[in-house]
Amino acid sequence: MARRASGGTGRVVRGARRPEVRLPALEPYGEGELEPDGDYDGVEFRARDLAGQDGAGARFMDCALTECALDGTRLGHARFLDSVLTGVRGVGTDLAEATLRDVELTEARLGGTQLYGAVLERVLIRGGKIDFLNLRQARLRDVVFQGCVLVEPDFGGARLERVEFVDCALKAADFTAATLTDVDLRGAAELGIASGVDRLSGAVISAAQLLDLAPVLAAQLGIRVEG
């Protein structure tokens, strides 16, 4: 596991473990719609319109979803294990209380994705843009956000452990009541926090980021800055 120095504190930040997904030969997905509590093992979903379908509670093991439409797709309590999602797009995808373990999500274009109460472990989110991501009460362990844009992500009440933000833009993030352990924000290309700045204990930021956050910190502490 990677370890990174956290500046002058002498404390070492434990780096996130990234997923190592090696897919077997995949079978193309046949006709029909997703099924609730369905079992999909070694299946490739390519350029499929899954909008509005119900795959709640389904299990996806060693699967690939490539350039699929997920508008309003119901995947609450679903499990994605050792799987790759590439170029998926959609608004209002429901992944509430889902489990993502050893998953790579690449170049996604999503809006209003519901991941509240979800469990993410060894997940890499690389590239793309996700607007209004709802991760309230979620548990994130060994998660890397790399080269992506997150607009108004909601981490309210979430638990983040060994989470890294690398070359990504974090815009108006909400960390209200979140718990952070070994969260590395230094690599974020843009760090904007709308609320919950008081919950950043357990995170590490750069000196430049501290200056950028100074107005928010002053407001949180009730400090009036004049002149």
Side-chain angles (χ1 to χ4, degrees):
M1 182 185 301
R3 295 176 180 270
R4 303 183 180 186
S6 59
T9 65
R11 183 176 178 273
V12 175
V13 178
R14 295 181 298 166
R17 295 176 294 172
R18 301 192 178 211
E20 297 182 2
V21 182
R22 296 180 177 86
L23 294 177
L26 303 178
E27 292 290 333
Y29 180 62
E31 299 301 322
E33 297 192 349
L34 295 176
E35 297 181 1
D37 300 315
D39 195 355
Y40 304 98
D41 195 338
V43 176
E44 181 182 32
F45 300 79
R46 179 172 290 275
R48 300 300 298 258
D49 186 356
L50 305 177
Q53 295 187 23
D54 189 356
R59 172 182 172 271
F60 298 84
M61 176 75 178
D62 290 325
C63 287
L65 280 72
T66 305
E67 298 180 357
C68 293
L70 300 176
D71 297 273
T73 306
R74 296 182 293 281
L75 293 165
H77 296 277
R79 290 173 293 160
F80 288 85
L81 312 171
D82 296 286
S83 294
V84 175
L85 291 79
T86 305
V88 296
R89 63 194 185 280
V91 175
T93 308
D94 182 3
L95 284 157
E97 300 184 339
T99 297
L100 282 70
R101 183 174 296 118
D102 293 302
V103 167
E104 296 181 5
L105 175 63
T106 305
E107 298 298 338
R109 296 284 176 175
L110 299 170
T113 302
Q114 301 299 311
L115 272 165
Y116 59 83
V119 175
L120 284 69
E121 186 171 357
R122 293 186 301 275
V123 173
L124 171 62
I125 300 174
R126 182 173 55 214
K129 182 182 180 185
I130 306 177
D131 297 326
F132 312 113
L133 177 62
N134 184 351
L135 281 163
R136 295 185 69 83
Q137 303 296 326
R139 288 179 292 161
L140 290 75
R141 176 181 292 177
D142 295 311
V143 175
V144 178
F145 296 92
Q146 180 177 339
C148 56
V149 177
L150 303 177
V151 179
E152 296 189 33
D154 189 349
F155 296 96
R159 296 189 314 188
L160 289 73
E161 181 179 357
R162 296 193 299 270
V163 176
E164 297 179 22
F165 296 84
V166 182
D167 296 326
C168 65
L170 200 60
K171 300 175 181 283
D174 186 350
F175 286 100
T176 302
T179 302
L180 279 60
T181 305
D182 290 314
V183 173
D184 196 339
L185 292 160
R186 290 172 294 181
E190 179 180 342
L191 179 58
I193 299 178
S195 55
V197 69
D198 59 315
R199 305 298 297 186
L200 291 185
S201 175
V204 57
I205 62 176
S206 69
Q209 289 170 333
L210 177 59
L211 292 176
D212 291 339
L213 290 175
V216 181
L217 288 166
Q220 176 68 39
L221 295 172
I223 300 174
R224 188 172 62 186
V225 180
E226 298 180 354

